[in-house]
Structures are given as structure tokens and as C-alpha cells.
């Protein structure tokens, strides 16, 4: 079932509340479509008494205020008639008509002109006035709650009311809703007047007269005829020409028939030029307003709704383990103790140590070449496949001297590399692992190599990280790494030793 | 094998050497930063974990993250022995899985091969920093035995392309042509779309389903991006309209404090909304408040380097002489009254501007001051929004490094965000100042929409890829 407009407005109210008051939390069950989901959230929200009040009262307050307005208008209308008729036994027909219908006709024509002839939407200050008065009212009534004032936040009720008002009074429906209010109030005024007139006419006897200083009698007769033309159409009793002539000011004593004819004419004018047009206008505004409100759509592309949409229908499921870890080959990550000294001794450099690269990538090899003259003996070979592995084995066997294994710092040792290292390292005390770090990998990567060295039963100092000279050392986050010397220091140390 | 009638979800297995970013890839595709475990060490994932990408609420693709292959050299030796007794590659793999003797040495590999045999498509994740070593070739051999479509995914592409071509050549030799470059950390929607297009090509029976799926994803992404921008613009409009009337100069400091606090709160709320919208968590970001000290925005924030990072021109900001708390210029209010009439917001806005104008005169007469944000602060807020959106819209859900949202750090994980420093903020500042001086009345939608659209357009132009 599609959402009704009042549902949409409550949803918008809830949205404004949720967006401004983070503390609000609403749980919602899964639903088959998003509209239902939103509705269901509203239902859930209404389970919380304070939220229920915030959501429902703006509409109640509005209708209550409207009722009061109408009631007052009704009373004013009745009062206007009563005071116009009081103390008079002879009534000037057209004077009474002006009292009853004058302002109404002017305002009605104004409304017609403004809303139909000037098609441009009226920018009415009324919505913001309404909101401000709501603000003001709330501020007055909640004077003692000062906490809101300091944070400058609106009290939730105002937030909700604001949302209610802005959505009702926003264009294009706002203009029709204003129509409903204005016509409703006028209608009450006119109905009050009409009822008072009927009551007066029933309980008291009036003589009706007319007269003018400036206008000709003919004009009056014509005016009366024109005014009564629509009434004649529905067989409403209207004064005849003789009757009109008869009741000219000071002409005659009135018969009961004449009185009744003028009484009906007055009532007819009120109905045909007052109540009925207002009623029609009110009804059409209501219809238009309902129509426009029905066209009002929630903007599902807004961040708020997108987030909700996601909660309603996630785009992915959460992970589930299909084939669990059988814990057969769990590798043990050794804990390593911090150590301070990290340098490749001059002895290693000066000797013709055997340097073997393990699966070095192009960039690492380039870096190794940069280092090779000053800091490292030249890399003899790079192990990349079975063939080179075999060759490396042979080399190591033949060489029987210091072994330097060069590795990528950015690639932590995997099982294959571990197997290789275990095979290569025969003499623990004369083997070095040098990590090159052309990709500026995070310090943790080096830590993993140190752990590997430990597993291979090398001394911590036998595993070291060389950062290229032009690059900064990696951010130092732990003891081991911060204690490790930069290249420059290493060179200094080496020079000292030699 | 599913060849005839489409049978959803499509089963996609992610395989590759250890540490190449398999789990990261799944995280980014799922937009879920808590899937599995991601770590620097080898062999982080030790089980097979599955999650589904849903299409209109129903499972469409099932992604299976597998343990990394660690020792294909030893593996291929074993497979070669087995293949002597088998006719096809699949038979060989099946035989390998059945042989319980392999479990001790090849526990993880057995899991992977089991998945290879039941999948519709295999995604082979590659660390492009590595050259094509023999062990990788063995892995590819192993994959091709499964006789399933393979889509190689080149990961770690931000550094260099040295090995990319080498990889492409080798992959072509294996007949794996549907290669995609996809960085799991620096997210790019176009790349993700290309990835799905590859799925579509290798999964011919699901062609139309993928077409619809990709269209929807695309639409969703655009909407999401738009919603982020709109949300940022709304935030900026809101804070620029914040104003406090100070009646007594002795309370100016505390009023300023309140105002600043409100700006901070709004920014944080907005940040949270954006994070939630993009399915990130508070863990993804290291938020540092616009620093406030002793009731003033602290000076270090406005240190030239900090400002430069966000592209605020100190010279011009100084020229405006705008210290926070400088009252609104009466002349400006007067001028904007004229401007508002010109924009065609005839009745509504001039009514409110007139009201404001009157208030201003009254305030001036009574010696009151209106406090709002100064140009420099507005500029900084705009810059922070550009930075935030740019970074988050290009952040993969696999990204580990926190996004630093403060003024000082320049060690951002994103190189893209240098952008913020080259920006011209004239348009947003002009618009926002106008809003500030005019304080849009509630209900004057036309004016507000017009102003907002200018801002949105600017953000959109700024945030193009
Ligand atoms: N810079 C960068 N880092 C990445 C990228 N992809 C993954 N990483 C990092 O690489 C490391 C390994 O990522 P994982 O996703 O755990 O890799 P995996 O393939 O699942 O690893 P195993 O489960 O151990 O086989 C993590 O530290 C990631 O943050 C990328 O594209 N760029
Ligand atoms: Mg993993």
C-alpha cells in the first residue's frame, strides 16, 4: 500500500528529529518494502511516549488552533449581525448587506485575483510566522529548561513542529492550505452571521427600507433584480418590482409579505454571495491541497533515506565461515624481545661475503645495486625459480663463508620462503638477513622478518633493515625499530671500526 | 558447471598468493570493513569465508575468500605426480583433495583447491610490486587445471607499473585475458564497474542479470555521491546561518564559545552521517575538532602552513581582517537586500531581508552585535568538506590507515587530497556569505534551492575524478 501523505509527513518529522537529536534510536523489523519499513519505524518510534508526543502534537495543535479561529470567527459573525440589527426596527437592506458581506467580498475578490490571475506562487511570510510563533510559544512554556539554550539546540518539539509546518506550507500545497484556512475562517464568520440573522428574523419584526441620495431609484431596482437573479433560478423567493418600489424609504407601512420577501432576499444574499462561494472555494482548496499533498514525495535520494534504505536492505550479507581453519598448520608467531644493535659489521662488508637475493623485485634489485658499492657486497644472484634455487644451493655449498640473504621488506616471509631460508641457512652464526625497503613498507613488515630470523635461530642483530639513503626512515613506532640506526650512522660506525 | 539456466548466486572464489590483498578485495567489494581479517603477515586468512552481494535483496554473487597460497613450488610437485594417473586437470585436483595425506603439508592449499572445483569464476589477485616469479607461474598452472574462467586482478597498482606488463604477458600466455586493475585501498568506482563487466563477459549465461545489476550499482553510486555532496552543502548552509545576537559586550566571549561549540557539533554530526552513508565506521577516521582554545579558534589552525594545506590564501584572508566575532556589516545587509530583489525572490526574501535589516539597525542602535562565522572559518569548513568527500569517496573498505581529518597532518594516505590546496574557493564563499547576510527565511524554498544548487554544482565540479 502506498504511503498516505500524513504518513509521509510523520516520517519527515521523525527524520528531522533523528537528524538533530542523535540520542534517538529506533529499532525496526525487516519489511518487504521500503515504504512499509519507514511506516514501521514510525510505529516503533511511537512506542516511546516522548517521541509519540513530539510526532503527534504539532498536527493536534494546528487543528486545535484552527478550531479556535473558526469559533472566534463564528462568534464575530453572529455578533456583527446582532449589533447591526440591535435597537433598530427599520433596516436599510443594503446597509445590512454591506455590513455582512462587504469585507468578505473584497477579500474574496482579492483571493481570486491573486490566486488565479497572478499565477506566480505567492511567497507568503505566514509559514515562517507560524513557525516563529511555535518557537516563541515553546520557549515561553519551557522557560525552566535552560539546558537547550546553552547548546543552542531546538527543543525536539520545535524540530518536529517545524517539519510539520514546513511540509504543509511548502509550495505548492502551502498556497491551497492557506486557502483552506482563510476560507474556513470566513465561512465560520458567514455561517455565524447567517444563523444570527435567521434567529433575529424569526424572533423580531423588522421593516425594510432602502434609499439613496446619489443613485437613481432605477439603479436600485436593477441592482436588486440582478442580485436576486441567481436565487430565482432555484426558486428562492425574491422581491418583485412592485415590492421594491413599495419599500422605498418612507413610502409605506409594510405588509407581512413585503417583510418576508425582504427577509428571504437578505438570507438569499448571504447564502448565494457569502456562504456558498466560500464553501465552494473552501472545498476546492481542500481538494487541491489534498491533491498536492498526495503528490508530495519523500526524497529517497537524500542521505538520510539512503542510509535507512541500506539498513532495510543491505547490499551485502555478512561473512560466514564455509570451511573452518583446521589448525593443522598454524604457524607460530614468535614473540621477539627488543634489541638495540643493528648494524652490518665492517668485517662482513670487507670480506667477500656471498650475497643472495630471495625473490627480489625489480625495484629492490635496483636499490640493492645502489647500495652494493658502499654498504653491501654485490648481489651474486637472485633466487626466482627452481633452477636458481639449485644454483644457490651449489654456491652456498662451495662458498663456505659469510652468507648475506637479501629480501624484500614489503613481502613478509611466506611458507615457501621459509622453506628456502631453512634450506639455505646452515651456519647460523655467519648468516645475515638484509631487508631492503624500496616500497617504504610499514615498520610492522620488518618486524615480521625479525620474527623469522628468530625462528631461524639467528641473533636479532643479524637481521637488519636498509632504507635507501634518499628516503626517510619509516615512522618509528616500536622499540626495535626506533633503536635501529639509520644508514648514515651505520656507515659512521663502520668507519670507526675500521 | 552451471552452463544453461542461470542459477544464482554466482560463486566467485578469490584466490592468490598470500598477502596479495584477497581479503581486502572482498572487503572493498562488500563495502564492509569488518569482513575477515586483514594483516600484513603471511597466512592471515586460514579458513574459507563467504559473503554475498545482494541484488534487490536476493543473493547475486557469493564471494569466497580463501587462504593464500604459500608454497606452490611444493604443491605443483605433488600435483605433477598425481597428474600422471589422471586424464584431466580437474581429475588431478580432485585426486589431490581426496588424498588425506596432503592435509598435513597442504592444509590451506586443500581448502583452496576444494573451492576451485566448485566455483563459477576464479579471481586471481596479484601483487603488482612483485615480478612474475616461478612460484606464481605454478599457481597459475594450478588454477588452469580447474578449467574455470579466471579473472586476474592486479592489486597494489599505486606504486609503479614496472611489473604490470610482465604480468599481463604471462597471463596472456595462460589465456587469462580478462585482466582488471583494481586497487583495493584507493577505491575507484569506474574500476569496480570494469571488474563487474569482466564477470559479465566470462559469465555469458548471466549476461542480462549482470547488465541490470551493473546499472543498478552505477545508479546507486551516483545517488550516493550526490547525497554526500548535498549533505555537505546543507551542513555548510546551516552553519553559515548560525548567528547570535549579543546584547552586552561582556558576554561576547561566551556567546562566541557557544557558537563555536555548535559549529563543532554540527560538523561532527554531519561527519557521522556521511560515514554511515558510505558504510564506514568511526574507526575509519581520526577526527580532530576544529581546534578551539580559550574561546577562540586556536591560532595554530590558522598558521600559514595549516591554511595552505586547505588552500586558504592567508593574504586575502588577512585582508578581510575577519577575526571571529566581527559583527556583520550593516552595509552588506543593505546590499544584499538589493541583490535579493534582483534574484527574483521578490516577496519572501525581501520581506525577511527587510526584517533583518530592521533588526540590524535596531541592534546597532542599541549597541548589540551579531556574531557569525568569519570568512576564514567558512573557508576552512568548506576546505574540510572537500577534503572529507574526496578522501571518503575514494577510500576502499579495505583501507587500514585512518583518514586524518585535522589541519596539521600532511601524511594523508591519499595523494589525491592535495587537490584541496589548489582550489579556488571564490564561488562557495560568495554564496555562503550571501546566505549568512540574508539568513534565508523558512519556507523560502526557491531562494534556498537556488543557492544550494550553486554550491552543489561547485562541489561536483571540484570532486570529479
Ligand atoms: N597499499 C596497499 N596495500 C594493500 C592493498 N591491498 C592490500 N593491502 C595490504 O596488504 C596487506 C595484506 O592484505 P590482506 O587482504 O590481508 O591479504 P590476503 O591476500 O587476504 O592475505 P592472506 O589472508 O594472508 O593470504 C594488508 O596489510 C593490506 O592492508 C593495496 O591495494 N594497496
Ligand atoms: Mg586474507
Amino acid at each position: 500500500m502506498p504511503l498516505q501523505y500524513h504518513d509521509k509527513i510523520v516520517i519527515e518529522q521523525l527524520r528531522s528529529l533523528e537528524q538533530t537529536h542523535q540520542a534517538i534510536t529506533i529499532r525496526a523489523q525487516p519489511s518487504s518494502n521500503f515504504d512499509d519499513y519507514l511506516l514501521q519505524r514510525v510505529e516503533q518510534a511511537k512506542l516511546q511516549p516522548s517521541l509519540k508526543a513530539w510526532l503527534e502534537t504539532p498536527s493536534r495543535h494546528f487543528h486545535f488552533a484552527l478550531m479556535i479561529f473558526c469559533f472566534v470567527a463564528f462568534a464575530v459573525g453572529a455578533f456583527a449581525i446582532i449589533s447591526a440589527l440591535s435597537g433598530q426596527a427599520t433596516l436599510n437592506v443594503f446597509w445590512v448587506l454591506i455590513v455582512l458581506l462587504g469585507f468578505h467580498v473584497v477579500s474574496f475578490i482579492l483571493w481570486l485575483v491573486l490566486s488565479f490571475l497572478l499565477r506566480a506562487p505567492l511567497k507568503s511570510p505566514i509559514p515562517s510566522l507560524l513557525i516563529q510563533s511555535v518557537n516563541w510559544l515553546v520557549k515561553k512554556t519551557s522557560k525552566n529548561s535552560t539546558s537547550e539554550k546553552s547548546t543552542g539546540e531546538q527543543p525536539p518539539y520545535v524540530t518536529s513542529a517545524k517539519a510539520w509546518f514546513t511540509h504543509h506550507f511548502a509550495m505548492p500545497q502551502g498556497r491551497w492550505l492557506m486557502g483552506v484556512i482563510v476560507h474556513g475562517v470566513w465561512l465560520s464568520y458567514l455561517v455565524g452571521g447567517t444563523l444570527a440573522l435567521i434567529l433575529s428574523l424569526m424572533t423580531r419584526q423588522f421593516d425594510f427600507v432602502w434609499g439613496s441620495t446619489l443613485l437613481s431609484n432605477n439603479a436600485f431596482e436593477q441592482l436588486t433584480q440582478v442580485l436576486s437573479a441567481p436565487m430565482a433560478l432555484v426558486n428562492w423567493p425574491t422581491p418583485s418590482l412592485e415590492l421594491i418600489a413599495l419599500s422605498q424609504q418612507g413610502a409605506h407601512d409594510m405588509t407581512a409579505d413585503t417583510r418576508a420577501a425582504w427577509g428571504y432576499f437578505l438570507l438569499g444574499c448571504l447564502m448565494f454571495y457569502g456562504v456558498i462561494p466560500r464553501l465552494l472555494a473552501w472545498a476546492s482548496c481542500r481538494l487541491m491541497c489534498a491533491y498536492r499533498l498526495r503528490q508530495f514525495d519523500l526524497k529517497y535520494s537524500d542521505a538520510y533515506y539512503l542510509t535507512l534504505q541500506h539498513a532495510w536492505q543491505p547490499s551485502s550479507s555478512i561473512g560466514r565461515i564455509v570451511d573452518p581453519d583446521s589448525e593443522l598448520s598454524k604457524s607460530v608467531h614468535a614473540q621477539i624481545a627488543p634489541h638495540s644493535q643493528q648494524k652490518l659489521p665492517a668485517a662482513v662488508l670487507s670480506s667477500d661475503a656471498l650475497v643472495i637475493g630471495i625473490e627480489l623485485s625489480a625495484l629492490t634489485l635496483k636499490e640493492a645495486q645502489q647500495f652494493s658499492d658502499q654498504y653491501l657486497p654485490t648481489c651474486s644472484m637472485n633466487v626466482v625459480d627452481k633452477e636458481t634455487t639449485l644454483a644457490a644451493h651449489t654456491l652456498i655449498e662451495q662458498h663456505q663463508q659469510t652468507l648475506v640473504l637479501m629480501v624484500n621488506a614489503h613481502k613478509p616471509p611466506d611458507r615457501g620462503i621459509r622453506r628456502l631460508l631453512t634450506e639455505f641457512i646452515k651456519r647460523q652464526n655467519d648468516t645475515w638477513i638484509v631487508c631492503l625497503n624500496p616500497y617504504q613498507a610499514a615498520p610492522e613488515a620488518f618486524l615480521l622478518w625479525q620474527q623469522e630470523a628468530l625462528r631461524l635461530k639467528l641473533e636479532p642483530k643479524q637481521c637488519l633493515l636498509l632504507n635507501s639513503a634518499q628516503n626517510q626512515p619509516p615512522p618509528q613506532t616500536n622499540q626495535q625499530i626506533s633503536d635501529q640506526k639509520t644508514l648514515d650512522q651505520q656507515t659512521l660506525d663502520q668507519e670507526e671500526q675500521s | 558447471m552451471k552452463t544453461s539456466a542461470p542459477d544464482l548466486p554466482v560463486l566467485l572464489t578469490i584466490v592468490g598468493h598470500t598477502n596479495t590483498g584477497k581479503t581486502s578485495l572482498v572487503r572493498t567489494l562488500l563495502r564492509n570493513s569488518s569482513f575477515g581479517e586483514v594483516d600484513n603477515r603471511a597466512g592471515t586468512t586460514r579458513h574459507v569465508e563467504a559473503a554475498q552481494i545482494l541484488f534487490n535483496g536476493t543473493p547475486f554473487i557469493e564471494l569466497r575468500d580463501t587462504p593464500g597460497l604459500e608454497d606452490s613450488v611444493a604443491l605443483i610437485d605433488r600435483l605433477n605426480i598425481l597428474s600422471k594417473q589422471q586424464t584431466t586437470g580437474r581429475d588431478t585436483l580432485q585426486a589431490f583433495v581426496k588424498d588425506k595425506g596432503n592435509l598435513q603439508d597442504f592444509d590451506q592449499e586443500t581448502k583452496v583447491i576444494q573451492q576451485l572445483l566448485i566455483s563459477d569464476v576464479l579471481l586471481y589477485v596479484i601483487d603488482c610490486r612483485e615480478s612474475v616469479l616461478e612460484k606464481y607461474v605454478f599457481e597459475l598452472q594450478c588454477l588452469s587445471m580447474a578449467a574455470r574462467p579466471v579473472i586476474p586482478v592486479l592489486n597494489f597498482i599505486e606504486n609503479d607499473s614496472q611489473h604490470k606488463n610482465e604480468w599481463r604477458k604471462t597471463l596472456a600466455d595462460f589465456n587469462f585475458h580478462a585482466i582488471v586493475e583494481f586497487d583495493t585501498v584507493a577505491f575507484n568506482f569506474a574500476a569496480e564497474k570494469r571488474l563487474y563487466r569482466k564477470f559479465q563477459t566470462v559469465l555469458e549465461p548471466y549476461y542480462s542479470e549482470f547488465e541490470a545489476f551493473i546499472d543498478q550499482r552505477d545508479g546507486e553510486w551516483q545517488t550516493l555521491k550526490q547525497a554526500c555532496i548535498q549533505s555537505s552543502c546543507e551542513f555548510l548552509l546551516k552553519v553559515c546561518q548560525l548567528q547570535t545576537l549579543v546584547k552586552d559586550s561582556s558576554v561576547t566571549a561566551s556567546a562566541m564559545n557557544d557558537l563555536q561549540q555548535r559549529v563543532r557539533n554540527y560538523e561532527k554530526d554531519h561527519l557521522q552521517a556521511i560515514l554511515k552513508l558510505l558504510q564506514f565506521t568511526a574507526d575509519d577516521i581520526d577526527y580532530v575538532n576544529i581546534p578551539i582554545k580559550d574561546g577562540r579558534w586556536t591560532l595554530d589552525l590558522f598558521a600559514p602552513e595549516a591554511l595552505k594545506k586547505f588552500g586558504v590564501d592567508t593574504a586575502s584572508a588577512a585582508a578581510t581582517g575577519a577575526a571571529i566575532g566581527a559583527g556583520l556589516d550593516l552595509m552588506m545587509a543593505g546590499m544584499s537586500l538589493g541583490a535579493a530583489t534582483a534574484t527574483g525572490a521578490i516577496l519572501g526574501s525581501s520581506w525577511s531581508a527587510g526584517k533583518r535589516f530592521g533588526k540590524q539597525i535596531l541592534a546597532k542602535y542599541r549597541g548589540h552585535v551579531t556574531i557569525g562565522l568569519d570568512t576564514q572559518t567558512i573557508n576552512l569548513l568548506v576546505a574540510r568538506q572537500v577534503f572529507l568527500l574526496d578522501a571518503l569517496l575514494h577510500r576502499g573498505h579495505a583501507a587500514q590507515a585512518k583518514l586524518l581529518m585535522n589541519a596539521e597532518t600532511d601524511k594523508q594516505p591519499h595523494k589525491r587530497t592535495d587537490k584541496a590546496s589548489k582550489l579556488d574557493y571564490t564561488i562557495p564563499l560568495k554564496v555562503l556569505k550571501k546566505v549568512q547576510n540574508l539568513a534565508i527565511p523558512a519556507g523560502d524554498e526557491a531562494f534556498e534551492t537556488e543557492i544550494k544548487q550553486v554550491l552543489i554544482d561547485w562541489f561536483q565540479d571540484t570532486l570529479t575524478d
Side-chain angles (χ1 to χ4, degrees), chain A residues 410 412 444, chain B residues 14-27 37-47 65-70 108 125-127 129 154-159 182-186 398-401:
Chain A
H410 64 272
E444 297 84 58
Chain B
I14 290 103
V15 291
H17 197 79
T18 184
N19 248 313
T20 47
K22 297 177 293 299
T23 311
S24 299
L25 176 67
V26 180
R27 281 190 174 183
E37 193 189 343
V38 166
D39 196 273
N40 230 337
R41 69 179 74 232
T44 309
T45 309
R46 312 193 55 82
H47 52 231
D65 183 26
T66 59
L69 297 166
E70 288 199 58
Q108 296 177 53
V125 184
I126 294 162
D127 179 349
R129 298 172 304 180
L154 303 179
N155 195 15
F156 287 94
I157 46 177
E158 81 263 49
N159 282 304
F182 186 86
D183 198 306
T184 55
V185 172
Q400 300 281 87

Side-chain angles (χ1 to χ4, degrees), chain A residues 317 359 386 414-415 419, chain B residues 17 52 71 77 134-135:
Chain A
S317 69
E359 301 184 348
K386 280 182 173 170
D414 59 33
R415 204 171 71 236
R419 184 170 48 75
Chain B
H17 197 79
Q52 294 167 330
D71 194 1
D77 281 347
E134 192 190 39
K135 61 179 180 185

Side-chain angles (χ1 to χ4, degrees), chain A residues 73-84:
Chain A
F74 182 90
V76 169
F79 180 76
I81 279 292
I82 289 166
S83 62

Side-chain angles (χ1 to χ4, degrees), chain A residues 94-289:
Chain A
F94 291 96
W95 173 242
V96 173
L97 278 182
I98 285 174
V99 167
L100 270 178
L101 296 178
F103 282 117
H104 147 76
V105 168
V106 172
S107 99
F108 196 74
I109 289 174
L110 215 69
W111 176 76
L112 278 178
V113 169
L114 287 182
S115 49
F116 288 106
L117 300 185
L118 305 175
R119 303 230 75 203
L122 273 183
K123 282 218 167 121
S124 154
I126 291 178
S128 85
L129 271 181
L130 279 172
I131 290 165
Q132 274 166 13
S133 43
V134 169
N135 259 332
W136 180 82
L137 260 175
V138 171
K139 231 183 262 167
K140 286 279 161 233
T141 49
S142 61
K143 257 249 165 77
N144 30 6
S145 64
T146 45
S147 61
E148 279 122 6
K149 221 186 152 228
S150 61
T151 54
E153 260 186 41
Q154 285 173 344
Y157 173 74
V158 178
T159 312
S160 166
K162 244 185 186 169
W164 195 91
F165 277 106
T166 18
H167 284 102
H168 273 92
F169 286 94
M171 292 304 164
Q173 66 268 28
R175 142 191 197 187
W176 299 112
L177 186 59
M178 283 311 298
V180 174
I181 296 173
V182 169
H183 295 312
V185 169
W186 271 110
L187 194 61
S188 314
Y189 171 87
L190 291 168
V191 169
T194 314
L195 288 181
L197 185 66
I198 292 174
L199 266 178
S200 302
L201 291 181
M202 286 206 302
T203 53
R204 286 168 58 191
Q205 197 185 62
F206 293 102
D207 283 341
F208 292 94
V209 295
W210 58 270
S212 163
T213 323
L214 290 178
L215 296 176
S216 70
N217 293 350
N218 212 6
F220 261 114
E221 283 165 14
Q222 266 174 8
L223 181 62
T224 317
Q225 292 276 289
V226 170
L227 285 179
S228 43
M231 307 179 204
L233 282 181
V234 291
N235 286 333
W236 185 271
T238 54
S240 58
L241 269 178
E242 310 93 78
L243 257 175
I244 299 170
L246 270 178
S247 24
Q248 195 180 4
Q249 194 121 39
H252 246 284
D253 272 350
M254 289 223 153
T255 62
D257 280 353
T258 325
R259 283 197 203 99
W262 280 114
Y264 277 116
F265 175 72
L266 259 186
L267 278 177
C269 281
L270 268 182
M271 292 304 292
F272 282 82
Y273 301 105
V275 176
I276 291 174
R278 278 292 175 189
L279 194 65
L280 286 177
W282 178 81
S284 58
C285 279
R286 251 208 102 107
L287 278 177
M288 283 307 288
C289 183

